Amino acid sequence: MVNVFVIGMAGSGKTTFIQRLNSELHRLKEKPYILNLDPAVHDVPYGANVDIRDSINYEKVMEEYGLGPNGAIMTSLNLFATKIDQVVDLVEKRQESHPYIIADTPGQIECFIWSASGQIITDAFATAGPTVIAYIVDTPRTTTPATFMSNMLYACSILYKTKLPMVIVFNKTDEQDAEFAKTWMTDFLVFQEALNKDGGDEEYMSSLMTSMSLVLEDFYNALDVVSVSSMTGQGFDKFLEVLDSKREEFKVNYEAERERMKKIKQEKEDAQKADSLTRLLKDVGVDKRDPLDVISDQEDDNEDDNEYVEAEPVKDITTTGLQDRYKQALGANGSVEAVDAILKGTQRSA
């Protein structure tokens, strides 16, 4: 199983990409499990197994909380994140019959990636199994160095925010071939030449993008890049091959890191609990080092000591018997009159 979060700017073709990916996987007899996490979308051209709109009314959230479109999306995601454990449980139950879990996200990237709910959702799925980010790029709108650099900076920030493997997907290659973008990512001189042609008099912009392209060189080397056409289906076989490699990459590189982070988090929580307990015991005046008395069953290991012994029958108490016992107890100093007085008091009380 591999979880795929499809992320991209509004208009980059995420929904159409998922529609085509769904068709390709059905063709390969590998039915995906699809989640729609965009509460503001009107229609989706695929059958979503889990749809945020089924449990949260985006327009009602906007009306009740007095929010704008972006605020309502974030609030809807926050409400949905409170039930993410139930969603992950559903996904885990279906993983045998659905090898790919695909999640469509809002076009407003900041509402998902830079919100607490987005972090909670991606972390929950990453804990459950290998998780990959597919960053969709609108290729025809990335032909200038400035828009290309903007997309790459977005991708870089998403990679380091989520700490998950990423695939850059240049979409709409039926309209614009993506070879120019791949060349810009691998050949600094070609990008610099395109930048000089497009820069004009804006020297500060040219200088900034030149510096950024050098900085992002290591970032590019850590990425897998594919070009696809959601309209024709071209390139989706390559995308699925990359997903398989990313699954292994997650297990080798990312899973160990996430386990380390979880261990550190657990240690911090344990330390906080221990500190709280120490302060509590101090407040009630109990030294943590002193053992506390507890109520428990005490059992003797010696079975002989636990044998049942039948009690002797109780003898009838008579006045004569009591008189003899009192005399014996009082000894030589006890007179008959004193014993009789005691007996009379005993009989009256009885």
Side-chain angles (χ1 to χ4, degrees):
M1 181 191 76
V2 58
N3 306 311
V4 184
F5 281 87
V6 180
I7 298 174
M9 295 184 183
S12 60
K14 297 187 304 301
T15 302
T16 309
F17 171 83
I18 292 177
Q19 180 187 19
R20 173 60 67 174
L21 180 60
N22 183 34
S23 299
E24 290 295 319
L25 290 173
H26 273 85
R27 181 179 62 82
L28 297 172
K29 309 299 182 184
E30 295 183 337
K31 186 178 179 181
Y33 196 85
I34 302 179
L35 294 81
N36 173 43
L37 301 180
D38 188 353
V41 68
H42 290 289
D43 298 300
V44 290
Y46 51 79
N49 300 92
V50 175
D51 196 329
I52 189 175
R53 299 175 301 167
D54 292 339
S55 56
I56 298 171
N57 189 321
Y58 164 75
E59 294 180 354
K60 189 174 181 180
V61 169
M62 188 162 47
E63 180 181 349
E64 287 189 358
Y65 292 91
L67 300 170
N70 287 354
I73 291 174
M74 291 184 65
T75 302
S76 298
L77 287 169
N78 290 340
L79 295 171
F80 186 77
T82 61
K83 303 295 184 183
I84 193 61
D85 290 341
Q86 298 178 19
V87 177
V88 173
D89 287 342
L90 286 174
V91 170
E92 288 181 331
K93 291 177 181 177
R94 304 291 190 274
Q95 62 182 353
E96 294 298 329
S97 56
H98 299 82
Y100 294 93
I101 313 300
I102 304 170
D104 193 2
T105 61
Q108 293 78 358
I109 295 179
E110 65 280 2
C111 294
F112 183 78
I113 291 299
W114 284 278
S115 66
S117 55
Q119 186 74 41
I120 291 170
I121 293 170
T122 54
D123 284 351
F125 277 90
T127 302
T131 304
V132 180
I133 300 296
Y135 182 72
I136 312 300
V137 179
D138 187 346
T139 309
R141 294 168 60 185
T142 316
T143 54
T144 62
T147 54
F148 169 81
M149 184 59 65
S150 297
N151 268 288
M152 294 301 103
L153 288 175
Y154 258 111
C156 181
S157 63
I158 292 170
L159 175 67
Y160 289 104
K161 181 67 170 64
T162 60
K163 296 181 177 63
L164 293 170
M166 175 180 284
V167 182
I168 300 291
V169 181
F170 286 102
N171 195 17
K172 304 181 183 180
T173 54
D174 56 303
E175 298 180 25
Q176 173 65 55
D177 190 271
E179 287 304 315
F180 76 94
K182 294 180 181 179
T183 304
W184 285 354
M185 295 176 70
T186 56
D187 195 327
F188 169 76
L189 294 178
V190 175
F191 178 76
Q192 185 64 39
E193 182 180 351
L195 186 60
N196 292 335
K197 291 180 180 178
D198 189 68
D201 297 330
E202 299 178 353
E203 294 182 2
Y204 73 96
M205 283 293 294
S206 177
S207 175
L208 175 62
M209 284 190 283
T210 298
S211 300
M212 292 304 302
S213 62
L214 289 171
V215 171
L216 292 176
E217 202 166 14
D218 289 337
F219 168 69
Y220 294 150
N221 293 332
L223 293 176
D224 282 289
V225 181
V226 296
S227 56
V228 303
S229 170
S230 297
M231 295 299 294
T232 66
Q234 179 184 1
F236 276 84
D237 54 345
K238 176 64 176 178
F239 175 74
L240 293 176
E241 290 178 10
V242 171
L243 278 187
D244 290 336
S245 66
K246 287 296 179 181
R247 180 194 290 116
E248 298 304 318
E249 180 183 334
F250 179 90
K251 294 179 179 179
V252 173
N253 299 328
Y254 289 83
E255 194 168 37
E257 176 64 16
R258 297 190 74 85
E259 288 298 325
R260 187 183 71 84
M261 296 294 290
K262 284 171 59 179
K263 184 178 179 181
I264 293 174
K265 182 179 179 182
Q266 186 63 45
E267 289 175 353
K268 288 182 179 179
E269 291 178 354
D270 292 342
Q272 290 176 352
K273 290 178 181 178
D275 181 62
S276 299
L277 178 60
T278 301
R279 285 188 280 109
L280 174 62
L281 295 176
K282 185 177 179 181
D283 290 341
V284 298
V286 178
D287 190 342
K288 185 179 177 182
R289 294 170 297 180
D290 295 337
L292 301 178
D293 293 334
V294 295
I295 300 174
S296 62
D297 292 332
Q298 298 293 333
E299 294 184 1
D300 196 337
D301 294 335
N302 190 348
E303 296 181 358
D304 294 337
D305 294 341
N306 295 330
E307 291 181 357
Y308 172 74
V309 178
E310 185 175 357
E312 295 181 1
V314 179
K315 297 179 180 179
D316 294 335
I317 300 176
T318 63
T319 304
T320 306
L322 284 173
Q323 189 176 25
D324 293 338
R325 291 184 184 182
Y326 276 116
K327 284 181 180 181
Q328 185 179 0
L330 293 172
N333 297 327
S335 63
V336 176
E337 291 77 5
V339 172
D340 290 338
I342 293 172
L343 287 173
K344 287 177 181 179
T346 305
Q347 290 170 353
R348 281 197 298 270
S349 62

